[in-house]
Amino acid sequence: MNVRTYFQNIRRVEHDLPAGDVVVISLITPDGGVAGRVMELDRSLAARMIVDGRFRPANQDEVDAYREELQREQEEAESRFIEPRTQMIVAIHESQKKIQQRKKKQGGEDGTVS
C-alpha cells in the first residue's frame, strides 16, 4: 500500500466514525497484541488503528456494556473514597461532643462557665 492510499483510507474511516471519542476493541496482532481489550480513543487515532488492523469499532451492544462498566467502576471508586471520610467526620463530631460535655460538667461543678 502506498502512502497516499494509506492516508486516504484513514480519512475515509475517520469520516465514517461518529464524532468525538470512539469505543474500539483490540485485535490479535503479530507483534503480540491481545484481542478483546475495550478502550475509548480519539476519532483520528481510532481511524488510524483500525486501518492498521490493530482495532475494530465496537458495535452498539459492546459500547453500552463498556459504558455501564465505566459507570460501575466510577461509583465504586467514589464509594471507596467517600465512605472512609464519612466515618472520620462522624468520629470527629462524636469526639467534639464528648469534649463539650466534659467542659459543661466541669463548669457546672465549680460554678464557672467555660
Side-chain angles (χ1 to χ4, degrees):
M1 174 187 308
N2 68 25
V3 176
R4 176 176 284 173
T5 306
Y6 175 73
F7 285 105
Q8 285 174 347
N9 287 341
I10 290 175
R11 282 192 297 274
R12 181 183 47 78
V13 169
E14 184 175 355
H15 182 276
D16 293 341
L17 292 173
D21 292 341
V22 179
V23 177
V24 293
I25 299 177
S26 64
L27 301 172
I28 295 175
T29 59
D31 61 351
V34 179
R37 293 198 177 154
V38 182
M39 61 185 69
E40 204 163 354
L41 299 176
D42 177 70
R43 183 176 162 182
S44 60
L45 179 59
R48 187 173 139 224
M49 299 302 249
I50 289 168
V51 170
D52 288 346
R54 296 181 179 278
F55 289 93
R56 68 170 177 82
N59 62 38
Q60 192 58 45
D61 291 337
E62 293 167 329
V63 170
D64 293 340
Y66 174 73
R67 299 265 160 87
E68 287 175 9
E69 179 68 18
L70 281 180
Q71 181 68 27
R72 187 189 62 74
E73 288 176 1
Q74 177 71 25
E75 289 170 358
E76 184 178 305
E78 287 175 357
S79 70
R80 278 186 282 158
F81 176 73
I82 291 172
E83 189 174 313
R85 290 182 64 198
T86 304
Q87 291 173 355
M88 180 180 275
I89 291 170
V90 170
I92 290 171
H93 182 69
E94 289 176 0
S95 296
Q96 288 175 341
K97 277 185 175 179
K98 289 179 183 178
I99 291 170
Q100 289 173 353
Q101 288 172 351
R102 280 190 219 135
K103 284 183 179 180
K104 284 181 182 178
K105 285 182 182 178
Q106 289 174 354
E109 291 174 2
D110 61 7
T112 60
V113 178
S114 316

